[in-house]
Amino acid sequence: MKKLTLILTSLLLILMTGCSLEPPEWAKPSSGGSLENMKIGLSISTLNNPFFVSVKDGVLAEAKKQGLEVLVIDAQNDSAKQSNDVEDLMQKGVNALLINPVDSSAISTVVQTANSLNIPVVTLDRSADQGDIKALVASDNVKGGSMAAQYIVEQLGKGAKVIELEGSPGASATRERGKGFHEIADSQLEVIAKQTADFDRTKGLTVMENLLQGNPGVQAVFAHNDEMALGAIEAIQSSGKNIPVIGFDGNEDALKSIEAGKLTGTVAQQPELIGQLAIQAAKDVLEGKTVEKLIAAPLKLVVKESK
């Protein structure tokens, strides 16, 4: 019996050790020393979106200038995978984490784990609902949503019937862009339908096809990102209608579509700048400097120039 108890106790200790997120000694972040020896972990929500590819490119370009190594992981729009990815990055002994959350709530647990290990966290484009975030580097999503609504009012007048394509339900960008949009739309426009398309172009196409059938009187569309906006444009063109669509991000495909006279406009961000600012913020934190909690990258409404 004593032998069995000893075996069970040993197994329990092994399991407890294996479940710990404490990195091994060789992988623990160094305290102080040259920044050239430090590693930054970057978790991107998806690299299947040109906007986030540009964010990543901005991170890598600035990190190279600063002499910092970056470990990049693509969460593939899966919040559970992202949590596991970030845990893996902590196990590898990164000195700081840059996280572009799939879901602002779901990422909170691993942010708190990073806090307990004294690994500073900077979020990009979207924040975490809980945990200590040293800085959020993003555009003013609330202001951007208002800019889109105001443009629709200016072009179509008050009371225009609008469909809203929402981003991923758990993302802070979805909440903030929607909030800004409704600050204007609730009093000056008529939002006749809204539905999530998860920031995805294919879903934007499918959702828009369905919404067009049920809302034949729609006069404009606001999409929380360019990918959904471009999908919506495809659905509208297939229906033979001419309905203005405003997106959000300013990615390359969207800008080309605007120039071609298809997409009406986009609230353009500067994704590479967001990546650059995030690396600078992480560097400042590692050097013991104080950083702003919100580091804003400028926005601009882009529409086709009249000739």
Side-chain angles (χ1 to χ4, degrees):
M1 184 66 180
K2 288 182 178 179
K3 186 176 181 180
L4 178 60
T5 302
L6 181 60
I7 292 171
L8 290 172
T9 302
S10 299
L11 286 171
L12 181 60
L13 287 170
I14 291 169
L15 287 171
M16 289 175 67
T17 303
C19 290
S20 172
L21 279 177
E22 184 76 17
E25 288 298 324
W26 59 265
K28 286 184 179 180
S30 57
S31 55
S34 172
L35 284 179
E36 292 183 1
N37 298 320
M38 292 192 176
K39 292 184 291 188
I40 307 293
L42 172 63
S43 174
I44 289 283
S45 61
T46 174
L47 289 176
N48 194 34
N49 182 325
F51 177 81
F52 293 118
V53 172
S54 294
V55 170
K56 179 206 71 174
D57 290 345
V59 167
L60 294 178
E62 186 63 23
K64 186 175 181 180
K65 288 182 186 177
Q66 303 289 352
L68 294 167
E69 178 186 355
V70 180
L71 306 180
V72 182
I73 299 184
D74 177 7
Q76 298 172 10
N77 261 338
D78 183 330
S79 59
K81 181 182 185 304
Q82 184 166 49
S83 294
N84 290 332
D85 289 345
V86 175
E87 289 173 0
D88 288 342
L89 288 170
M90 288 188 281
Q91 282 286 325
K92 290 175 180 177
V94 295
N95 299 88
L97 285 163
L98 304 183
I99 304 176
N100 161 237
V102 173
D103 185 298
S104 300
S105 176
I107 201 62
S108 296
T109 300
V110 287
V111 168
Q112 291 169 327
T113 300
N115 295 159
S116 70
L117 296 174
N118 294 317
I119 301 173
V121 179
V122 173
T123 52
L124 298 82
D125 188 57
R126 311 164 184 169
S127 194
D129 288 347
Q130 297 179 52
D132 177 26
I133 302 299
K134 296 300 181 184
L136 163 64
V137 184
S139 304
D140 187 337
N141 284 310
V142 176
K143 181 179 179 181
S146 295
M147 288 168 65
Q150 189 60 51
Y151 178 78
I152 294 171
V153 173
E154 290 170 359
Q155 297 301 307
L156 300 176
K158 292 184 177 181
K161 294 178 171 59
V162 183
I163 283 176
E164 179 184 9
L165 295 183
E166 299 175 305
S168 302
S172 59
T174 299
R175 294 195 298 267
E176 292 160 6
R177 293 173 190 183
K179 177 184 177 183
F181 178 70
H182 282 277
E183 284 178 355
I184 302 293
D186 287 352
S187 60
Q188 300 190 49
L189 297 169
E190 184 182 351
V191 181
I192 58 176
K194 59 180 181 177
Q195 188 173 329
T196 181
D198 292 321
F199 291 126
D200 183 82
R201 189 181 303 198
T202 302
K203 289 182 181 178
L205 167 61
T206 305
V207 169
M208 194 69 224
E209 285 175 339
N210 294 332
L211 290 176
L212 282 172
Q213 292 178 8
N215 302 276
V218 60
Q219 295 173 272
V221 176
F222 169 55
H224 287 194
N225 82 337
D226 286 338
E227 290 297 290
M228 294 187 297
L230 292 168
I233 284 291
E234 289 185 52
I236 291 167
Q237 289 180 328
S238 296
S239 73
K241 296 184 176 183
N242 183 18
I243 301 168
V245 178
I246 304 297
F248 200 122
D249 281 343
N251 71 35
E252 187 176 351
D253 286 351
L255 297 177
K256 287 179 179 177
S257 183
I258 291 170
E259 190 59 31
K262 297 177 181 179
L263 184 64
T264 307
T266 182
V267 180
Q269 302 190 77
Q270 299 186 64
E272 289 194 17
L273 178 60
I274 288 173
Q276 292 165 10
L277 291 173
I279 279 289
Q280 187 60 54
K283 177 177 178 287
D284 287 346
V285 170
L286 290 171
E287 291 178 335
K289 298 177 183 177
T290 301
V291 297
E292 295 290 331
K293 282 290 185 180
L294 175 61
I295 299 172
L299 288 167
K300 179 184 178 182
L301 180 66
V302 177
V303 296
K304 187 172 183 179
E305 295 182 6
S306 55
K307 296 182 181 180

